[in-house]
Amino acid sequence: MLKLTSTNLAFLMKLKKREFSFKEIKSQERFNRIISDIYNIVSQTFIGFNEMDIIGIVRHPLNKDVRALLVECNEQVVGFVIVQRISLNLGSKTVSIFKSMAAVYPEYRRKVKLSNYAIEVVLKHKICFPFREIYCFGLFIHPSVYYTFQRVCYEFYPHYKKETPEPYKQLVDHIAKKVGYVVLDADKLIGKTSSFIKSIESPEVRDYWYRHPSPHVEDFIERTGYRDGIGVFVLVPFTWKNIIMTILTEIRSNLVVKRRSASKKINTVTINK
């Protein structure tokens, strides 16, 4: 007989996705409920984050638009993505900067995929403004997020194999200070959040990332020292070349996953026989 644990329930219940712009939220009660739902998820991953920090992200004075995707299961929000769009004037040109934040309850992580939503939002903006310079930007304070991100994007900085161009270093420094991060090393793209934020993880999980074979993870740990609250600034130039190559990389990755899954099923059938 199947024991209905929280993990099993995540697979048995139907997941629903709800997308919206925070500009559409007119009710303060609904706004407060959404912020509370998001905070409840974040608090399972990080210490040092509070509801006012989330409100500060959503209502940052530089924001031109803030979109969100909520994932619900049995009327409960179990995962989310927030995507900010910021416009910055650099000399005579205007560039669009996108920042995103995402989290999901631990028991739903294998079921809920959130990585593509931010890319979809940025892509729609790129189609509307095909000749504008567009960048995705973020401060990643844990190797797991950095590892997931580098598997999705084709071209991004910093990269363990190549030097970050000087104009990109200057742009990262400019964006970071504008949005309120503390820049510790502009050359190595190292920084920290304005308030101390610590990941909730066991010694076993920490050891797992120390021993992880990915050179990207190794580079992350070397840059940050795996210190609490310290992260790597990441910049993705959202050019048409990068978009096409990212899509192809995602397709290739999905094919590999499907092949591995099919191979496991064949091996299971063979063993059961």
Side-chain angles (χ1 to χ4, degrees), residues 29 39 46 49 116 149 151 163 177 185 199 243:
E29 181 182 356
Y39 170 71
F46 295 107
F49 217 77
N116 288 338
F149 187 84
R151 296 178 69 187
E163 179 66 24
K177 291 174 180 176
D185 190 327
S199 299
I243 292 168

Side-chain angles (χ1 to χ4, degrees), residues 134-195:
I134 298 175
Y135 299 92
C136 296
F137 169 84
L139 175 67
F140 296 163
I141 63 173
H142 195 273
S144 62
V145 183
Y146 189 72
Y147 176 64
T148 301
F149 187 84
Q150 61 82 23
R151 296 178 69 187
V152 174
C153 294
Y154 173 74
E155 181 187 3
F156 65 96
Y157 299 94
H159 193 285
Y160 76 96
K161 276 188 176 181
K162 49 192 174 185
E163 179 66 24
T164 302
E166 194 61 35
Y168 285 168
K169 291 180 182 179
Q170 295 174 9
L171 180 58
V172 166
D173 186 64
H174 181 71
I175 298 171
K177 291 174 180 176
K178 279 284 187 181
V179 300
Y181 291 128
V182 178
V183 179
L184 298 178
D185 190 327
D187 187 59
K188 293 184 178 180
L189 305 186
I190 305 303
K192 65 178 182 178
T193 55
S194 55
S195 58

